[in-house]
Amino acid sequence: MSKALNGALHDALTDDDRVHLLGEDIGTLGGVFRVTDGLAAAFGDRRVADTPLAEAGILGTAVGMAMYGLRPVVEMQFDAFAYPAFEQLVSHVAKMRNRTRGALPMPLTIRIPYGGGIGGVEHHSDASEAYYTHTPGLHVVTPATVADAYGLLRAAIASDDPVIFLEPKRLYWSKGEIDRSAALPALGEAAVRRAGSSATLITYGPSLPVCLEAAAAAQAEGWDLEVVDLRSLVPFDDAAVCASVRRTGRAVVVHEAQGFSGFGAEIAARVSERCFHHLAAPVLRVTGFDIPYPPPMLERYHLPDVDRILDAVARLQWEDTTQGEGI
């Protein structure tokens, strides 16, 4: 995945001289996760710029660049490192196009490695997507496959609206094929990664491989689980998600961020409102716990796993609810 992201940045820099990259250690070092490796050598330090350790300054600079017609791509080194730039994000990035009645679009992509599963310490493992999805004016995208890492990043950079591009850190080393000649995916379209009929697992980003593993394990229990990868949190693909839930009649939302006020609550509400008469059981959530991210030796207890997902599926009660066995 990291190589696919590198390829997307390389091709965007090649195709459009308005694209500029900026961030901490992205030049000579090639980024903490080497996603920008070799790009400064290929395009020069005016196109791929190392910045001071000042996230608010980095994003504020990018806002000015976008206002003057460039297409900046900012890297925030880790998820929680982005918080000092939050004022710039909410007050300017998200509002500029609306504030100027469309006169000033904001073609700005903010890349954020996010999530746990790599043994990172505090401030290196947050799943902070809910902050961004709650902010009107932002698109929020997160790839879970190698092909999507390339295609969705290219689509994000091509967008005239600001995109928060969340990169699952524990999937940087995942493998897959990409086709650079394929049409770019549209932002806001979910994908069914596994068809099924018993229940729908709705997920995104780092939790997709876990859900696919759970779906495979569920076959031993006689459960045929469908897995929907959102890919884009904003815009949200209500049509694809609801079509799946209406087919299966049951849904479990899985993400590694905390459950309370997490993005899964929004998904559960949307599904409940739109699919109420198709649901045989309440929409359930499997999430991280409502605590600060734990130390590395304990993170495996915090992150949703196959057992927790299958426990939730079992709670959906497979008995016919018309026979007195309902929730």
Side-chain angles (χ1 to χ4, degrees), residues 32-54:
V32 171
F33 297 100
R34 303 301 186 265
V35 171
T36 55
D37 188 39
L39 297 181
F43 296 96
D45 59 10
R46 292 182 64 85
R47 299 281 306 280
V48 183
D50 279 327
T51 65
L53 305 181

PDB file of all heavy atoms in Angstrom, residues 32-54:
ATOM      1  N   VAL A  32       8.049   9.235   7.439  1.00  0.00           N
ATOM      2  CA  VAL A  32       8.250   8.225   8.476  1.00  0.00           C
ATOM      3  C   VAL A  32       7.975   6.830   7.933  1.00  0.00           C
ATOM      4  O   VAL A  32       8.671   5.867   8.259  1.00  0.00           O
ATOM      5  CB  VAL A  32       7.339   8.520   9.686  1.00  0.00           C
ATOM      6  CG1 VAL A  32       7.367   7.364  10.677  1.00  0.00           C
ATOM      7  CG2 VAL A  32       7.771   9.803  10.377  1.00  0.00           C
ATOM      8  N   PHE A  33       6.942   6.706   7.086  1.00  0.00           N
ATOM      9  CA  PHE A  33       6.579   5.411   6.522  1.00  0.00           C
ATOM     10  C   PHE A  33       7.055   5.261   5.077  1.00  0.00           C
ATOM     11  O   PHE A  33       6.624   4.358   4.371  1.00  0.00           O
ATOM     12  CB  PHE A  33       5.065   5.216   6.612  1.00  0.00           C
ATOM     13  CG  PHE A  33       4.558   5.193   8.024  1.00  0.00           C
ATOM     14  CD1 PHE A  33       3.975   6.320   8.588  1.00  0.00           C
ATOM     15  CD2 PHE A  33       4.691   4.057   8.807  1.00  0.00           C
ATOM     16  CE1 PHE A  33       3.515   6.310   9.895  1.00  0.00           C
ATOM     17  CE2 PHE A  33       4.240   4.035  10.115  1.00  0.00           C
ATOM     18  CZ  PHE A  33       3.655   5.166  10.666  1.00  0.00           C
ATOM     19  N   ARG A  34       7.938   6.163   4.654  1.00  0.00           N
ATOM     20  CA  ARG A  34       8.570   6.131   3.325  1.00  0.00           C
ATOM     21  C   ARG A  34       7.565   6.234   2.182  1.00  0.00           C
ATOM     22  O   ARG A  34       7.833   5.788   1.062  1.00  0.00           O
ATOM     23  CB  ARG A  34       9.417   4.868   3.150  1.00  0.00           C
ATOM     24  CG  ARG A  34      10.500   4.685   4.213  1.00  0.00           C
ATOM     25  CD  ARG A  34      11.479   5.872   4.237  1.00  0.00           C
ATOM     26  NE  ARG A  34      12.585   5.626   5.162  1.00  0.00           N
ATOM     27  CZ  ARG A  34      12.608   6.041   6.436  1.00  0.00           C
ATOM     28  NH1 ARG A  34      11.575   6.725   6.935  1.00  0.00           N
ATOM     29  NH2 ARG A  34      13.656   5.807   7.194  1.00  0.00           N
ATOM     30  N   VAL A  35       6.417   6.840   2.446  1.00  0.00           N
ATOM     31  CA  VAL A  35       5.419   6.997   1.385  1.00  0.00           C
ATOM     32  C   VAL A  35       5.888   7.985   0.327  1.00  0.00           C
ATOM     33  O   VAL A  35       5.541   7.862  -0.850  1.00  0.00           O
ATOM     34  CB  VAL A  35       4.059   7.432   1.989  1.00  0.00           C
ATOM     35  CG1 VAL A  35       3.069   7.810   0.896  1.00  0.00           C
ATOM     36  CG2 VAL A  35       3.482   6.306   2.851  1.00  0.00           C
ATOM     37  N   THR A  36       6.703   8.959   0.704  1.00  0.00           N
ATOM     38  CA  THR A  36       7.193   9.948  -0.258  1.00  0.00           C
ATOM     39  C   THR A  36       8.628   9.664  -0.687  1.00  0.00           C
ATOM     40  O   THR A  36       9.300  10.542  -1.239  1.00  0.00           O
ATOM     41  CB  THR A  36       7.088  11.366   0.338  1.00  0.00           C
ATOM     42  OG1 THR A  36       7.793  11.408   1.590  1.00  0.00           O
ATOM     43  CG2 THR A  36       5.640  11.754   0.568  1.00  0.00           C
ATOM     44  N   ASP A  37       9.088   8.456  -0.465  1.00  0.00           N
ATOM     45  CA  ASP A  37      10.472   8.108  -0.791  1.00  0.00           C
ATOM     46  C   ASP A  37      10.781   8.370  -2.264  1.00  0.00           C
ATOM     47  O   ASP A  37      10.055   7.945  -3.163  1.00  0.00           O
ATOM     48  CB  ASP A  37      10.707   6.629  -0.468  1.00  0.00           C
ATOM     49  CG  ASP A  37      12.173   6.238  -0.585  1.00  0.00           C
ATOM     50  OD1 ASP A  37      13.029   7.037  -0.193  1.00  0.00           O
ATOM     51  OD2 ASP A  37      12.438   5.130  -1.086  1.00  0.00           O
ATOM     52  N   GLY A  38      11.865   9.099  -2.517  1.00  0.00           N
ATOM     53  CA  GLY A  38      12.335   9.352  -3.871  1.00  0.00           C
ATOM     54  C   GLY A  38      11.659  10.494  -4.597  1.00  0.00           C
ATOM     55  O   GLY A  38      12.111  10.896  -5.681  1.00  0.00           O
ATOM     56  N   LEU A  39      10.609  11.053  -4.052  1.00  0.00           N
ATOM     57  CA  LEU A  39       9.871  12.096  -4.772  1.00  0.00           C
ATOM     58  C   LEU A  39      10.614  13.425  -4.787  1.00  0.00           C
ATOM     59  O   LEU A  39      10.583  14.153  -5.786  1.00  0.00           O
ATOM     60  CB  LEU A  39       8.476  12.265  -4.160  1.00  0.00           C
ATOM     61  CG  LEU A  39       7.563  11.030  -4.245  1.00  0.00           C
ATOM     62  CD1 LEU A  39       6.207  11.326  -3.617  1.00  0.00           C
ATOM     63  CD2 LEU A  39       7.403  10.574  -5.687  1.00  0.00           C
ATOM     64  N   ALA A  40      11.301  13.764  -3.698  1.00  0.00           N
ATOM     65  CA  ALA A  40      12.077  15.005  -3.690  1.00  0.00           C
ATOM     66  C   ALA A  40      13.218  14.933  -4.693  1.00  0.00           C
ATOM     67  O   ALA A  40      13.519  15.911  -5.392  1.00  0.00           O
ATOM     68  CB  ALA A  40      12.605  15.286  -2.280  1.00  0.00           C
ATOM     69  N   ALA A  41      13.856  13.778  -4.788  1.00  0.00           N
ATOM     70  CA  ALA A  41      14.941  13.611  -5.759  1.00  0.00           C
ATOM     71  C   ALA A  41      14.421  13.741  -7.186  1.00  0.00           C
ATOM     72  O   ALA A  41      15.111  14.280  -8.072  1.00  0.00           O
ATOM     73  CB  ALA A  41      15.612  12.262  -5.558  1.00  0.00           C
ATOM     74  N   ALA A  42      13.202  13.261  -7.414  1.00  0.00           N
ATOM     75  CA  ALA A  42      12.640  13.276  -8.767  1.00  0.00           C
ATOM     76  C   ALA A  42      12.079  14.635  -9.157  1.00  0.00           C
ATOM     77  O   ALA A  42      12.173  15.042 -10.325  1.00  0.00           O
ATOM     78  CB  ALA A  42      11.557  12.206  -8.887  1.00  0.00           C
ATOM     79  N   PHE A  43      11.507  15.367  -8.195  1.00  0.00           N
ATOM     80  CA  PHE A  43      10.781  16.589  -8.537  1.00  0.00           C
ATOM     81  C   PHE A  43      11.362  17.852  -7.901  1.00  0.00           C
ATOM     82  O   PHE A  43      10.892  18.952  -8.199  1.00  0.00           O
ATOM     83  CB  PHE A  43       9.303  16.446  -8.133  1.00  0.00           C
ATOM     84  CG  PHE A  43       8.585  15.370  -8.897  1.00  0.00           C
ATOM     85  CD1 PHE A  43       8.452  14.099  -8.367  1.00  0.00           C
ATOM     86  CD2 PHE A  43       8.056  15.630 -10.152  1.00  0.00           C
ATOM     87  CE1 PHE A  43       7.794  13.100  -9.072  1.00  0.00           C
ATOM     88  CE2 PHE A  43       7.396  14.636 -10.865  1.00  0.00           C
ATOM     89  CZ  PHE A  43       7.268  13.372 -10.323  1.00  0.00           C
ATOM     90  N   GLY A  44      12.345  17.704  -7.031  1.00  0.00           N
ATOM     91  CA  GLY A  44      12.980  18.864  -6.428  1.00  0.00           C
ATOM     92  C   GLY A  44      12.294  19.327  -5.162  1.00  0.00           C
ATOM     93  O   GLY A  44      11.125  19.016  -4.907  1.00  0.00           O
ATOM     94  N   ASP A  45      13.048  20.082  -4.354  1.00  0.00           N
ATOM     95  CA  ASP A  45      12.524  20.485  -3.053  1.00  0.00           C
ATOM     96  C   ASP A  45      11.552  21.650  -3.125  1.00  0.00           C
ATOM     97  O   ASP A  45      11.009  22.054  -2.101  1.00  0.00           O
ATOM     98  CB  ASP A  45      13.660  20.790  -2.078  1.00  0.00           C
ATOM     99  CG  ASP A  45      14.589  21.891  -2.568  1.00  0.00           C
ATOM    100  OD1 ASP A  45      14.258  22.558  -3.574  1.00  0.00           O
ATOM    101  OD2 ASP A  45      15.649  22.082  -1.942  1.00  0.00           O
ATOM    102  N   ARG A  46      11.303  22.200  -4.303  1.00  0.00           N
ATOM    103  CA  ARG A  46      10.239  23.205  -4.430  1.00  0.00           C
ATOM    104  C   ARG A  46       8.874  22.550  -4.624  1.00  0.00           C
ATOM    105  O   ARG A  46       7.853  23.156  -4.327  1.00  0.00           O
ATOM    106  CB  ARG A  46      10.529  24.150  -5.597  1.00  0.00           C
ATOM    107  CG  ARG A  46      11.731  25.050  -5.371  1.00  0.00           C
ATOM    108  CD  ARG A  46      11.936  26.001  -6.543  1.00  0.00           C
ATOM    109  NE  ARG A  46      10.817  26.929  -6.689  1.00  0.00           N
ATOM    110  CZ  ARG A  46      10.693  28.086  -6.021  1.00  0.00           C
ATOM    111  NH1 ARG A  46      11.649  28.433  -5.158  1.00  0.00           N
ATOM    112  NH2 ARG A  46       9.668  28.864  -6.204  1.00  0.00           N
ATOM    113  N   ARG A  47       8.874  21.307  -5.128  1.00  0.00           N
ATOM    114  CA  ARG A  47       7.618  20.571  -5.303  1.00  0.00           C
ATOM    115  C   ARG A  47       7.358  19.619  -4.136  1.00  0.00           C
ATOM    116  O   ARG A  47       6.199  19.281  -3.865  1.00  0.00           O
ATOM    117  CB  ARG A  47       7.653  19.745  -6.607  1.00  0.00           C
ATOM    118  CG  ARG A  47       7.823  20.515  -7.904  1.00  0.00           C
ATOM    119  CD  ARG A  47       6.558  21.176  -8.409  1.00  0.00           C
ATOM    120  NE  ARG A  47       5.424  20.309  -8.570  1.00  0.00           N
ATOM    121  CZ  ARG A  47       5.217  19.493  -9.611  1.00  0.00           C
ATOM    122  NH1 ARG A  47       6.117  19.398 -10.587  1.00  0.00           N
ATOM    123  NH2 ARG A  47       4.113  18.777  -9.680  1.00  0.00           N
ATOM    124  N   VAL A  48       8.422  19.167  -3.490  1.00  0.00           N
ATOM    125  CA  VAL A  48       8.302  18.241  -2.362  1.00  0.00           C
ATOM    126  C   VAL A  48       9.098  18.851  -1.213  1.00  0.00           C
ATOM    127  O   VAL A  48      10.305  18.680  -1.103  1.00  0.00           O
ATOM    128  CB  VAL A  48       8.834  16.840  -2.722  1.00  0.00           C
ATOM    129  CG1 VAL A  48       8.637  15.877  -1.551  1.00  0.00           C
ATOM    130  CG2 VAL A  48       8.155  16.302  -3.979  1.00  0.00           C
ATOM    131  N   ALA A  49       8.413  19.571  -0.351  1.00  0.00           N
ATOM    132  CA  ALA A  49       9.082  20.457   0.602  1.00  0.00           C
ATOM    133  C   ALA A  49       9.038  19.918   2.021  1.00  0.00           C
ATOM    134  O   ALA A  49       7.956  19.630   2.560  1.00  0.00           O
ATOM    135  CB  ALA A  49       8.432  21.838   0.560  1.00  0.00           C
ATOM    136  N   ASP A  50      10.233  19.798   2.628  1.00  0.00           N
ATOM    137  CA  ASP A  50      10.308  19.549   4.063  1.00  0.00           C
ATOM    138  C   ASP A  50       9.904  20.824   4.799  1.00  0.00           C
ATOM    139  O   ASP A  50      10.311  21.928   4.427  1.00  0.00           O
ATOM    140  CB  ASP A  50      11.732  19.171   4.471  1.00  0.00           C
ATOM    141  CG  ASP A  50      12.037  17.709   4.210  1.00  0.00           C
ATOM    142  OD1 ASP A  50      11.126  16.879   4.331  1.00  0.00           O
ATOM    143  OD2 ASP A  50      13.196  17.396   3.878  1.00  0.00           O
ATOM    144  N   THR A  51       9.113  20.675   5.845  1.00  0.00           N
ATOM    145  CA  THR A  51       8.619  21.829   6.588  1.00  0.00           C
ATOM    146  C   THR A  51       9.124  21.784   8.030  1.00  0.00           C
ATOM    147  O   THR A  51       9.567  20.745   8.517  1.00  0.00           O
ATOM    148  CB  THR A  51       7.082  21.826   6.627  1.00  0.00           C
ATOM    149  OG1 THR A  51       6.648  20.677   7.383  1.00  0.00           O
ATOM    150  CG2 THR A  51       6.495  21.767   5.221  1.00  0.00           C
ATOM    151  N   PRO A  52       9.029  22.894   8.739  1.00  0.00           N
ATOM    152  CA  PRO A  52       9.280  22.861  10.192  1.00  0.00           C
ATOM    153  C   PRO A  52       8.241  21.991  10.895  1.00  0.00           C
ATOM    154  O   PRO A  52       7.193  21.658  10.336  1.00  0.00           O
ATOM    155  CB  PRO A  52       9.133  24.337  10.603  1.00  0.00           C
ATOM    156  CG  PRO A  52       9.296  25.113   9.349  1.00  0.00           C
ATOM    157  CD  PRO A  52       8.750  24.255   8.245  1.00  0.00           C
ATOM    158  N   LEU A  53       8.537  21.630  12.131  1.00  0.00           N
ATOM    159  CA  LEU A  53       7.597  20.845  12.937  1.00  0.00           C
ATOM    160  C   LEU A  53       6.532  21.791  13.485  1.00  0.00           C
ATOM    161  O   LEU A  53       6.565  22.186  14.649  1.00  0.00           O
ATOM    162  CB  LEU A  53       8.336  20.129  14.072  1.00  0.00           C
ATOM    163  CG  LEU A  53       9.503  19.235  13.664  1.00  0.00           C
ATOM    164  CD1 LEU A  53      10.129  18.581  14.882  1.00  0.00           C
ATOM    165  CD2 LEU A  53       9.050  18.183  12.670  1.00  0.00           C
ATOM    166  N   ALA A  54       5.588  22.154  12.642  1.00  0.00           N
ATOM    167  CA  ALA A  54       4.573  23.142  13.013  1.00  0.00           C
ATOM    168  C   ALA A  54       3.327  22.883  12.185  1.00  0.00           C
ATOM    169  O   ALA A  54       3.132  23.475  11.122  1.00  0.00           O
ATOM    170  CB  ALA A  54       5.092  24.559  12.774  1.00  0.00           C
TER     171      ALA A  54
END
